[in-house]
């Protein structure tokens, strides 16, 4: 059945005289101007002829074409994203909140994340209504549904690099695949600035720009303050008893620094590795040596599950009893929404700042104090 679908889709593309990679014509057009980006480094957007936008993400290029306009010449290697986008498959969970913030959640109709794994109320509500459907994990989507629904764009995370055949099969159906790299941004506000890309894709640039500006203005004063001198560790304990921490160059330690705190680990403490992961596992002895005197401990509940009390946390790791933050009652746990609510980067920096300045409520939006 699937072979017939691929054959049919390919035939339609040939008959239409176009491809997902656009029309191969000679000279590229001059860029009129570019989208102003203050923090994001992983994508660019250049405004070209016919009201189109050339988006570049890593080695991939895309031409976003407004309704009723033609593809400009000179971009044979660029995949064509035809507006309006009405039926999008989103397999990048971090992108969903950005799409929602831009006002385009109603354009997403399929996801690779199960209902119970979503922490965003708007997404759960949409799935309850049947507006968004789960169509299989990113590495095994239901291709027939993608074709039957008339999917106009597939948004993938970089996990798709581990399943290149999936991308190839989706593109064989005539569906452009955009691999978003917001997670590669070192600056937390750069991750949030990807909302501007989704504003372009869905034709709602003004709302995306407005939300981004509102969020960043919230922390203007915080970013100019002197450091509080408070130190913090961000970690969880894995099933083998290892301590998983964020790499010093990751965006979470960067948020701590922006909030006026200091991450307890440095590159020299943890050594170096060449993988792209944002975390690494260290021995309990190393964690104890570097973090026992940290002013603040933040337990990451995203993988290992939430805890409600310090005693519950110490059952996982008894050595925590000697830690300064435990003795001073300054141990926090993250809420599940921390990593999915991408537009909340500035709000999270604000919450961290409140913790570092002893102005925090016991329970906030992204973190709560362990009793």
């Amino acid at each position: 059945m699937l072979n017939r679908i691929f054959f049919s889709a390919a035939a339609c593309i040939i008959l239409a005289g176009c491809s997902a990679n656009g029309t191969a014509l000679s000279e590229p057009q001059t860029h009129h101007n570019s989208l102003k980006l203050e923090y994001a480094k992983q994508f660019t957007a250049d405004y070209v002829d016919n009201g189109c936008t050339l988006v570049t993400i890593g080695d991939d290029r895309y031409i976003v074409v407004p309704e009723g306009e033609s593809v400009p010449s000179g971009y044979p290697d660029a995949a064509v994203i035809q507006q309006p986008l009405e039926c999008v498959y989103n397999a990048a969970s971090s992108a969903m909140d950005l799409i929602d913030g831009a006002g385009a959640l109603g354009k997403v109709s399929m996801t690779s994340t199960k209902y119970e794994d979503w922490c965003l109320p708007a997404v759960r509500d949409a799935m309850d209504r049947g507006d968004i459907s789960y169509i299989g994990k990113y590495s095994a989507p239901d291709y027939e549904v993608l074709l039957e629904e008339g999917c106009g764009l597939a948004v993938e995370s970089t996990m798709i690099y581990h399943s290149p055949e999936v991308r190839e099969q989706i593109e064989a159906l005539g569906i452009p695949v955009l691999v978003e790299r917001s997670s590669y941004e070192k600056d937390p506000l750069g991750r949030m600035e990807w909302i501007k890309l989704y504003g372009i894709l869905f034709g709602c640039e003004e709302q995306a720009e407005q939300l981004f500006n509102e969020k960043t203005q919230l922390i203007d004063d915080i970013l100019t303050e002197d450091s509080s001198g408070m130190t913090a560790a961000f970690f969880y304990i894995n099933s083998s008893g290892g301590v998983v921490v964020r790499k010093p160059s990751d965006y979470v330690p960067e948020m701590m620094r922006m909030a006026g705190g200091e991450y307890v680990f440095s590159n020299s403490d943890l050594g170096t590795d060449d993988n792209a992961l944002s975390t690494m596992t260290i021995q309990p002895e190393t964690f104890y040596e570097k973090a026992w005197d940290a002013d603040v401990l933040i337990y990451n509940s995203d993988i290992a599950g939430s805890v409600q009390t310090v005693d519950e946390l110490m059952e996982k790791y008894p050595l925590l009893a000697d830690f300064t933050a435990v003795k001073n009652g300054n141990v926090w746990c993250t809420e599940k929404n921390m990593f999915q609510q991408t537009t909340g980067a500035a709000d999270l920096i604000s919450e961290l700042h409140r913790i570092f300045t002893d102005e925090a409520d016991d329970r906030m939006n992204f973190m709560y104090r362990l009793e």
Side-chain angles (χ1 to χ4, degrees):
M1 174 64 176
L2 197 52
N3 288 336
R4 290 200 301 272
I5 292 175
F6 288 153
F7 177 82
S8 176
C12 289
I13 293 170
I14 292 170
L15 288 173
C18 63
S19 74
N21 286 330
T23 304
L25 297 176
S26 53
E27 295 296 327
Q29 300 297 312
T30 302
H31 300 167
H32 300 304
N33 50 65
S34 301
L35 173 68
K36 180 182 178 182
L37 295 170
E38 300 175 56
Y39 306 97
K41 306 296 183 185
Q42 295 296 320
F43 83 94
T44 59
D46 300 303
Y47 302 111
V48 294
D49 286 352
N50 304 341
C52 299
T53 305
L54 175 67
V55 173
T56 304
I57 304 173
D59 294 331
D60 296 330
R61 302 211 301 172
Y62 308 87
I63 286 285
V64 183
V65 182
E67 184 176 12
E69 295 292 346
S70 59
V71 181
S73 63
Y75 305 101
D77 62 333
V80 175
I81 299 176
Q82 182 65 59
Q83 293 176 328
L85 291 172
E86 299 291 348
C87 180
V88 171
Y89 165 53
N90 180 26
S93 59
S94 61
M96 196 73 92
D97 189 52
L98 295 168
I99 294 171
D100 187 21
L105 185 61
K107 308 300 184 182
V108 177
S109 56
M110 293 163 284
T111 178
S112 66
T113 303
K114 293 181 179 179
Y115 177 89
E116 58 269 22
D117 294 328
W118 281 111
C119 301
L120 303 175
V123 178
R124 285 195 164 209
D125 290 345
M127 295 185 81
D128 283 335
R129 295 192 302 268
D131 295 338
I132 298 178
S133 302
Y134 171 73
I135 64 165
K137 61 186 299 186
Y138 79 94
S139 57
D142 190 324
Y143 300 108
E144 294 190 21
V145 171
L146 288 172
L147 191 61
E148 290 169 358
E149 293 293 320
C151 181
L153 175 67
V155 179
E156 299 277 357
S157 74
T158 54
M159 291 295 291
I160 199 66
Y161 294 147
H162 300 296
S163 301
E165 71 283 356
V166 174
R167 178 176 184 173
E168 292 171 4
Q169 290 179 358
I170 294 175
E171 290 176 336
L173 296 175
I175 301 169
V177 176
L178 184 146
V179 183
E180 79 108 59
R181 296 168 59 93
S182 64
S183 62
Y184 281 54
E185 299 286 355
K186 299 302 182 184
D187 192 313
L189 300 183
R191 294 166 65 90
M192 189 171 68
E193 196 167 23
W194 275 66
I195 193 173
K196 295 180 181 179
L197 172 62
Y198 295 106
I200 290 172
L201 294 177
F202 292 98
C204 42
E205 296 98 323
E206 185 175 342
Q207 180 167 336
E209 183 85 25
Q210 180 179 344
L211 181 62
F212 179 79
N213 290 339
E214 289 174 355
K215 292 288 187 180
T216 53
Q217 287 168 9
L218 290 175
I219 58 172
D220 280 347
D221 293 339
I222 293 174
L223 298 180
T224 59
E225 287 185 15
D226 294 332
S227 171
S228 68
M230 298 278 279
T231 57
F234 188 96
F235 72 103
Y236 73 88
I237 314 298
N238 66 22
S239 57
S240 301
V243 185
V244 183
V245 299
R246 311 294 290 201
K247 294 178 181 178
S249 59
D250 176 63
Y251 79 99
V252 173
E254 180 61 22
M255 280 193 287
M256 293 180 176
R257 291 185 281 267
M258 295 169 75
E262 180 183 343
Y263 189 53
V264 294
F265 297 107
S266 65
N267 286 323
S268 59
D269 295 331
L270 302 180
T272 58
D273 57 49
D274 296 327
N275 65 49
L277 297 176
S278 60
T279 62
M280 63 185 303
T281 303
I282 61 176
Q283 294 299 315
E285 294 79 10
T286 302
F287 181 70
Y288 184 89
E289 177 187 355
K290 298 297 181 180
W292 75 270
D293 200 28
D295 297 302
V296 180
L297 292 179
I298 302 176
Y299 186 72
N300 177 15
S301 70
D302 187 54
I303 303 296
S306 61
V307 294
Q308 298 301 318
T309 66
V310 173
D311 288 341
E312 187 180 347
L313 183 57
M314 286 195 295
E315 288 179 10
K316 295 176 177 284
Y317 193 32
L319 285 178
L320 286 175
D322 295 331
F323 280 50
T324 297
V326 172
K327 294 176 181 179
N328 294 339
N330 215 356
V331 183
W332 298 78
C333 183
T334 64
E335 297 279 12
K336 285 289 189 179
N337 63 345
M338 176 175 168
F339 294 102
Q340 287 186 1
Q341 197 168 337
T342 317
T343 59
D347 302 278
L348 180 53
I349 291 169
S350 179
E351 288 191 7
L352 287 167
H353 179 262
R354 289 160 61 189
I355 290 175
F356 294 144
T357 55
D358 294 323
E359 298 175 355
D361 301 325
D362 285 349
R363 198 173 192 100
M364 298 181 287
N365 185 44
F366 294 105
M367 289 175 285
Y368 59 92
R369 191 195 302 267
L370 297 183
E371 301 297 333

